Amino acid sequence: MSKTYFRGSLMATTVMASLVLAGPAFAQVAPEQPAQDPAVQTAPTDQTPATQESVADSPDATTAEEGQDVVVTGSRIQSPNIVSLAPVQVVGETEIDQAGAINIQEVLLENPAFGTPGLSRTNSAFLTSGGGVATVDLRDLGSDRTLVLINSRRVVAGLPGSATVDLNVIPTQFVERIDILTGGASSLYGSDAVAGVVNFLYKRNFSGLLAEGQYGITERGDSARYQVSLTGGGNFADDRGNLMVHLGYTNEKGLLSRDRRNTRVDAVSRFFYITGEPEDYAVSQEPFLSGFAPQGRFFAGDEQFTYGQNGELLNCFSTNGTTCGGAPNGFNRQEFRTLAVPVQRYLFATRGTFDLSDSISAFAEGTYAKTSSSREIEPFALDSSDIFPSTGGQFAIETLVNGGLVLNPLVPAEIAAAATDTDGDGLRDIAFTRRLAEVGSRTSQTTRDFFRFVVGLEGKLLNDRFSWDLSYNFGQTTEGQTSNGQVNVLNFANALRAVPGPNGPVCVSADAVAQGCVPISVFGAGSITPQALNYINAEQSYRTEIQQQVLAANISGAIIDLPYGPLGLAVGAEYRKEESSEDNDALTNAGLNAGNAIPDTEGKFNVKEAYAEINVPILADLPFAKQLNLRAAGRISDYSTVGSVKTYSLGADYAPVEALRFRGTYARAVRAPNIGELFTGPSQTFPTGLQDPCEGITAGDAGTTLGDQCLSDPGVALNVAANGAFTLNQADQQGISGFNAGNPNLDVETAKTFTVGLVINPRQITALRNLVLSVDYYSIKIDDAITFPGRTTILDQCFNEGNDAFCQFITRRATNEGANSAGSLEFINSGAVNSGGLKTRGIDTVLSYRTGLDRFITGVNMNARISWTHLLEGFSRDLPGAPKDRFAGEIGTAKDRVNGSLGFNSDRWGLSFTGTYIGKSLEDDATLDQFGLERDVIKIDPEFYLDAQATFTPTRAYELFLGVDNLLDNDAPDIIQGSPFNVTGSDTAADVYDIFGRRFYAGVRLRF
């Protein structure tokens, strides 16, 4: 096992007629290639699009020259007629251009095979790290279960401890096509390909110069976006070599909550059980300002105080009624929140080849991306318990000096008069909550540097019967983040304890004074002085580094010629090493910046793998057997962490006639635990809402599972003996902490995936020869899924179910804490375990049709495509045998998602419409169950988004394009704040629905 290190502290329903306008241009086959300027050419590629049917049979695929080997995503065998047996969807260069996308993530998320992204511009503002990262999630099974490749090779992760790739590193204009393989492919590509593979294929053998510029802005005049890029290439050394270079710059401005009418003012919403109509189950109120206000709220004895608009001290219960919270004395958090994170990128990509001989070529490719993002959210809401957690936030306002009590001179007399001694030490105490407006908004600036290069050799053997390649792949991602808006807890505590001095208040601690302590006043808005701010300020820093190295060798070709075709074989070996580290500042390590303690973590592993794939032609060109092939693949992987694992796949494709093809695969896929799941050190948390199962237990409960489990703890037994029943005080209930950590003993997740489908392409019928229909059923079931059990689950399993494996995560206070506190919960830890289960199954339907309209308009062609995913089932389980937590049909995983496009084009102009349909969605089943509500009580209506683009090409060297996204200017549906789908600050599921509104863009492409 690799050496591991831990540093830091411990532990809308629409009619079918509209569907031709209801989705993006996602095809089962590659689109017809448009005419190109002779100066800007793309030579035939050895990576011809992976199609749902044979490349040679596809009516509109780019076909290989006769005898030329091709590579398809879904097979490692290079052959002129190889096909993928698992469903593969292809996004071509034309579709990418029609999307007008700045980031390739936008293009992919329109495909119904993809679920809600784990990270995007619109759901990462409130994260302590990962702001602005763009990820994809096939089948809603988690981003770590989707394998992202560039040119069929692995890509270093963008998040520390994870295998998740940040799509910000993909240069959109340099991508020739994207292959989306849906289904387990571990036997072909290794771990992480449980849900499928997304393969970005860069342009190849490009000659000429292509310049592009684009600018976009919303109808409201905000969130501007622009990009410029330059791609050039050409041959050298008597055409033995080719070199391409791409330079790109993109800038996506941010969007704040105050920039949209529905999110300008703070609101509160919650689930509420009322007998009546479904709308009665959700209660909302606006405005509902935060009680954590800049003037503070103070708790002294039985009294509460705040300050009025004119700076006057108010007693909440005796002056003007209850004035401590809400308008006009509350705080509008929405004024400061970020809806969409601004992201700026510099991109460089290159690719080159050189023929060393007639049979051997050298190749190299490289990508560099520098991504910058920032975020802003409201100033920190400080509770005095963040500074004094052991006392529940109570702190003394008096100091014993020379035998007498001296009052902190900064405490107002009325508050001091109401204060009482809460802990029996003879000193009066108070507590407070306060918005740290003087400290300013919480902000962070993040810079990520991504570097990846691949070098290698490739060639032919045995009269070109076999193809081989040898490559070395190195990738590195580094991140630096600086954050502001937090405070140094130790310094804040010192600054709160003050006594009179000769020149004004001074800090009580002489050591603190020597270190620059300045007394702090939290009483009233603007009361914190710049000197005190300087003393309590705590800038946070976060540094990460991720490295990936891959050495791979592959050989494939035809072993022998069988009666019905060549026997295809591919074999290969791979060595991969992954390393990841995270480094936080010292205050964050210790949890001394009013946040939780987060440790530094380092981890690494390596894996040695070998695979083989075979394709056996059984029948060909016979009656009712145009083609029949069987295929099998297997991989052995030896991990330094989990040992040896095996994966395999079996499949067949059968075409009884040329126009009809059946296909099916069954595979065993695995996902090995990533570095974060294995090696993350214990990160502290303070959970709320927990109920101790032992509360109220008496000696008479002995003999029951619950009683025996509780009474076996010495502290619980002492408490019961002293009080007659196990008794908790408020401090005990509020003093529960815990740590979340990785688990170096994790094993692999195992998935069984099954796909079966058919492809119809009636090429013999002239009017329908360009129609392709595919229908595929898929089923993915994951066992031993890596999960972090919830603390309620841990308590239930230990005490109610008697599962001692979960009891090890629980620590109760010892007997020396005293009879009244002994046995109370002190820590409930949670770690990664192989206890979960996931299952999803559904049907993908894709229909594409292309035809000329010369009968109506000379020189005009029409393209139409529809892609529809119908989710039949989807659920997860935290533990074996636990009830299903269904996600199929919930917000973000609607049972029906449809995408399509309708386009018209000629030599001089083009017009396309692209739409996305998201079916009716429901609230989270588990959340509603807590309130005794039925699953379908709250429904989100279907949503339909329509985009449009027009192009004008006056000459072959010049193209102008104009586009509108969200043409209908749909508003995002309101999602209640108590919902797990509500993205903070957006009042909706901002990662599912459009929050920008109608937006326009225009651009130009120049070819030389």
Side-chain angles (χ1 to χ4, degrees):
M1 181 174 293
S2 297
K3 189 174 182 180
T4 306
Y5 308 88
F6 296 114
R7 305 197 307 270
S9 64
L10 287 175
M11 353 234 151
T13 302
T14 63
V15 295
M16 285 301 296
S18 72
L19 292 181
V20 293
L21 302 175
F26 288 103
Q28 300 296 338
V29 294
E32 182 180 38
Q33 297 300 311
Q36 292 181 309
D37 190 302
V40 182
Q41 299 177 354
T42 302
T45 171
D46 67 355
Q47 293 180 324
T48 302
T51 63
Q52 293 286 8
E53 54 281 325
S54 168
V55 172
D57 291 345
S58 173
D60 55 357
T62 302
T63 58
E65 297 177 1
E66 184 176 358
Q68 180 182 346
D69 290 344
V70 299
V71 175
V72 300
T73 302
S75 175
R76 292 279 194 168
I77 299 173
Q78 295 190 35
S79 170
N81 60 352
I82 200 70
V83 298
S84 173
L85 303 187
V88 174
Q89 297 191 37
V90 176
V91 184
E93 184 178 358
T94 300
E95 289 76 29
I96 296 173
D97 289 344
Q98 288 176 352
I102 299 291
N103 190 305
I104 203 71
Q105 183 195 49
E106 302 171 50
V107 181
L108 295 178
L109 292 184
E110 291 179 334
N111 188 322
F114 290 94
T116 302
L119 289 171
S120 68
R121 291 181 64 222
T122 57
N123 69 358
S124 58
F126 276 78
L127 301 178
T128 56
S129 63
V133 169
T135 65
V136 287
D137 180 358
L138 275 170
R139 305 299 188 198
D140 282 294
L141 294 175
S143 298
D144 275 328
R145 299 184 179 97
T146 298
L147 180 61
V148 173
L149 307 174
I150 294 179
N151 295 326
S152 302
R153 298 181 182 93
R154 283 184 175 263
V155 185
V156 64
L159 295 174
S162 169
T164 303
V165 174
D166 180 7
L167 299 190
N168 282 307
V169 306
I170 304 295
T172 306
Q173 293 77 22
F174 203 54
V175 175
E176 180 176 88
R177 78 174 197 269
I178 309 167
D179 290 353
I180 304 162
L181 172 67
T182 56
S186 290
S187 60
L188 294 173
Y189 299 104
S191 182
D192 310 322
V194 173
V197 172
V198 181
N199 191 8
F200 294 93
L201 297 161
Y202 285 173
K203 290 181 171 66
R204 183 180 176 95
N205 295 334
F206 185 90
S207 296
L209 189 65
L210 174 63
E212 181 174 334
Q214 178 178 329
Y215 176 80
I217 196 166
T218 72
E219 189 175 75
R220 281 77 171 174
D222 52 28
S223 194
R225 315 170 74 198
Y226 44 91
Q227 67 174 355
V228 291
S229 68
L230 187 66
T231 304
N235 295 337
F236 61 92
D238 297 326
D239 294 335
R240 292 173 60 193
N242 179 269
L243 179 65
M244 299 181 298
V245 175
H246 170 85
L247 297 170
Y249 171 77
T250 67
N251 195 329
E252 300 177 90
K253 300 296 185 180
L255 184 68
L256 300 176
S257 296
R258 63 173 179 259
D259 295 331
R260 289 296 178 266
R261 182 180 62 249
N262 64 312
T263 55
R264 289 174 183 165
V265 181
D266 224 336
V268 65
S269 56
R270 64 187 185 275
F271 295 111
F272 198 83
Y273 186 83
I274 304 175
T275 302
E277 297 300 319
E279 56 266 25
D280 292 332
Y281 292 102
V283 177
S284 299
Q285 181 180 341
E286 182 181 307
F288 192 91
L289 304 184
S290 170
F292 282 80
Q295 67 269 22
R297 186 173 180 177
F298 308 93
F299 307 87
D302 295 327
E303 303 294 325
Q304 295 183 28
F305 300 85
T306 192
Y307 285 82
Q309 295 294 299
N310 298 317
E312 69 277 18
L313 184 65
L314 303 175
N315 186 305
C316 295
F317 301 128
S318 62
T319 306
N320 299 328
T322 56
T323 59
C324 276
N329 296 314
F331 182 80
N332 183 21
R333 297 172 296 178
Q334 295 294 92
E335 180 70 19
F336 300 87
R337 290 178 166 176
T338 299
L339 282 177
V341 173
V343 177
Q344 181 177 240
R345 298 182 298 162
Y346 295 90
L347 292 161
F348 168 81
T350 186
R351 186 171 186 178
T353 60
F354 186 79
D355 294 336
L356 300 174
S357 69
D358 291 341
S359 59
I360 300 177
S361 297
F363 63 88
E365 61 187 57
T367 306
Y368 172 76
K370 187 179 188 65
T371 307
S372 301
S373 63
S374 61
R375 60 139 189 171
E376 175 188 2
I377 60 176
E378 68 272 13
F380 189 72
L382 182 71
D383 190 310
S384 54
S385 62
D386 296 327
I387 305 172
F388 306 100
S390 62
T391 63
Q394 296 289 333
F395 68 97
I397 59 173
E398 294 176 312
T399 303
L400 185 62
V401 178
N402 298 326
L405 296 178
V406 177
L407 177 67
N408 185 328
L410 298 173
V411 180
E414 190 174 349
I415 295 178
T420 60
D421 178 10
T422 61
D423 55 8
D425 65 354
L427 307 176
R428 287 178 292 170
D429 306 304
I430 66 169
F432 69 90
T433 61
R434 194 182 190 279
R435 184 75 55 180
L436 296 179
E438 296 93 337
V439 176
S441 300
R442 282 171 284 173
T443 62
S444 69
Q445 293 76 40
T446 303
T447 300
R448 296 183 185 89
D449 289 283
F450 167 91
F451 175 65
R452 177 182 182 268
F453 72 85
V454 179
V455 293
L457 299 172
E458 59 187 358
K460 301 287 187 178
L461 289 172
L462 302 177
N463 294 322
D464 295 345
R465 194 175 185 89
F466 286 87
S467 300
W468 61 270
D469 67 86
L470 177 66
S471 65
Y472 172 70
N473 177 354
F474 175 86
Q476 178 174 284
T477 303
T478 59
E479 176 182 340
Q481 177 174 292
T482 301
S483 303
N484 291 282
Q486 302 291 109
V487 294
N488 184 317
V489 169
L490 295 179
N491 288 1
F492 210 119
N494 286 327
L496 282 172
R497 299 184 64 236
V499 293
N503 299 311
V506 296
C507 297
V508 170
S509 169
D511 291 339
V513 171
Q515 296 171 5
C517 181
V518 177
I520 191 168
S521 171
V522 294
F523 302 96
S527 62
I528 302 178
T529 66
Q531 294 80 7
L533 279 177
N534 185 61
Y535 178 63
I536 67 170
N537 182 61
E539 183 179 87
Q540 292 177 273
S541 65
Y542 176 63
R543 301 288 182 267
T544 70
E545 182 174 320
I546 312 163
Q547 276 193 9
Q548 179 187 78
Q549 298 183 72
V550 184
L551 183 63
N554 304 279
I555 185 170
S556 72
I559 304 175
I560 56 173
D561 291 323
L562 298 178
Y564 297 105
L567 178 66
L569 175 69
V571 295
E574 184 176 290
Y575 172 81
R576 176 162 52 98
K577 183 178 181 180
E578 305 270 2
E579 301 178 71
S580 179
S581 65
E582 299 175 69
D583 185 8
N584 291 280
D585 61 89
L587 286 178
T588 300
N589 288 157
L592 295 177
N593 58 3
N596 298 336
I598 303 176
D600 296 338
T601 301
E602 284 188 299
K604 58 186 177 182
F605 69 84
N606 64 75
V607 55
K608 297 179 283 290
E609 302 181 275
Y611 77 90
E613 179 187 9
I614 190 169
N615 183 72
V616 184
I618 304 300
L619 299 172
D621 297 323
L622 297 175
F624 303 105
K626 176 66 177 176
Q627 191 173 39
L628 173 62
N629 294 300
L630 300 180
R631 193 175 305 163
R635 177 179 289 254
I636 299 176
S637 305
D638 183 18
Y639 286 85
S640 61
T641 51
V642 296
S644 179
V645 297
K646 300 179 179 65
T647 58
Y648 62 84
S649 64
L650 304 169
D653 74 289
Y654 168 56
V657 294
E658 188 176 7
L660 177 64
R661 180 182 298 274
F662 297 94
R663 60 181 173 210
T665 63
Y666 175 81
R668 180 184 189 270
V670 300
R671 184 180 76 87
N674 58 42
I675 290 174
E677 292 162 337
L678 287 165
F679 304 140
T680 295
S683 177
Q684 190 174 21
T685 185
F686 294 89
T688 60
L690 295 176
Q691 180 70 37
D692 190 336
C694 294
E695 187 172 10
I697 285 290
T698 68
D701 291 310
T704 66
T705 299
L706 177 60
D708 288 344
Q709 290 292 98
C710 292
L711 293 170
S712 64
D713 183 89
V716 174
L718 177 62
N719 187 305
V720 170
N723 301 300
F726 184 62
T727 306
L728 297 171
N729 58 46
Q730 185 175 3
D732 293 334
Q733 295 170 328
Q734 295 178 345
I736 303 173
S737 182
F739 295 85
N740 297 323
N743 179 359
N745 297 315
L746 287 173
D747 205 346
V748 297
E749 299 178 342
T750 303
K752 296 177 181 178
T753 70
F754 174 69
T755 66
V756 62
L758 60 86
V759 180
I760 301 174
N761 176 210
R763 300 193 64 183
Q764 288 72 30
I765 304 174
T766 302
L768 300 179
R769 70 179 307 272
N770 291 326
L771 181 146
V772 180
L773 170 67
S774 67
V775 181
D776 291 277
Y777 168 85
Y778 67 87
S779 174
I780 304 174
K781 183 177 182 294
I782 303 174
D783 294 320
D784 299 321
I786 298 170
T787 185
F788 289 77
R791 284 168 170 77
T792 298
T793 299
I794 292 172
L795 289 172
D796 177 68
Q797 286 292 310
C798 173
F799 294 102
N800 294 320
E801 301 297 329
N803 189 338
D804 289 334
F806 286 85
C807 297
Q808 64 179 320
F809 295 109
I810 301 169
T811 301
R812 292 183 175 273
R813 290 183 173 86
T815 54
N816 60 10
E817 296 277 348
N820 290 329
S821 291
S824 59
L825 292 168
E826 185 173 13
F827 298 109
I828 306 175
N829 300 323
S830 182
V833 293
N834 290 103
S835 65
L838 285 165
K839 184 177 181 179
T840 185
R841 58 187 184 93
I843 298 173
D844 289 331
T845 303
V846 178
L847 174 66
S848 66
Y849 182 63
R850 176 173 55 86
T851 187
L853 298 179
D854 288 346
R855 194 183 313 177
F856 308 101
I857 309 176
T858 303
V860 175
N861 297 315
M862 181 190 77
N863 292 273
R865 293 184 179 92
I866 299 172
S867 179
W868 171 31
T869 292
H870 177 65
L871 189 56
L872 296 169
E873 184 179 33
F875 65 86
S876 63
R877 284 190 172 104
D878 283 341
L879 299 168
K884 297 178 181 178
D885 183 1
R886 296 172 290 180
F887 58 79
E890 294 184 348
I891 297 169
T893 50
K895 285 193 173 182
D896 290 290
R897 288 174 287 180
V898 184
N899 297 276
S901 69
L902 180 63
F904 304 90
N905 63 81
S906 72
D907 290 340
R908 291 290 179 264
W909 60 269
L911 180 63
S912 63
F913 298 91
T914 302
T916 302
Y917 171 83
I918 303 172
K920 176 187 70 177
S921 303
L922 305 176
E923 264 296 348
D924 178 59
D925 195 10
T927 301
L928 291 174
D929 187 60
Q930 296 177 17
F931 296 89
L933 302 178
E934 297 295 328
R935 176 175 170 82
D936 59 351
V937 160
I938 297 177
K939 303 182 181 71
I940 303 300
D941 292 334
E943 195 70 63
F944 174 71
Y945 295 107
L946 181 63
D947 305 333
Q949 187 187 84
T951 62
F952 178 55
T953 313
T955 70
R956 298 173 71 87
Y958 173 80
E959 180 181 12
L960 174 69
F961 57 94
L962 305 168
V964 185
D965 290 336
N966 194 354
L967 181 63
L968 305 178
D969 198 25
N970 295 21
D971 291 329
D974 290 331
I975 307 293
I976 197 167
Q977 288 181 356
S979 165
F981 305 112
N982 182 300
V983 175
T984 303
S986 70
D987 292 339
T988 191
D991 44 7
V992 179
Y993 301 103
D994 184 272
I995 61 172
F996 297 96
R998 186 183 293 124
R999 50 201 181 276
F1000 308 93
Y1001 63 88
V1004 63
R1005 298 184 184 99
L1006 303 175
R1007 300 176 175 89
F1008 305 96

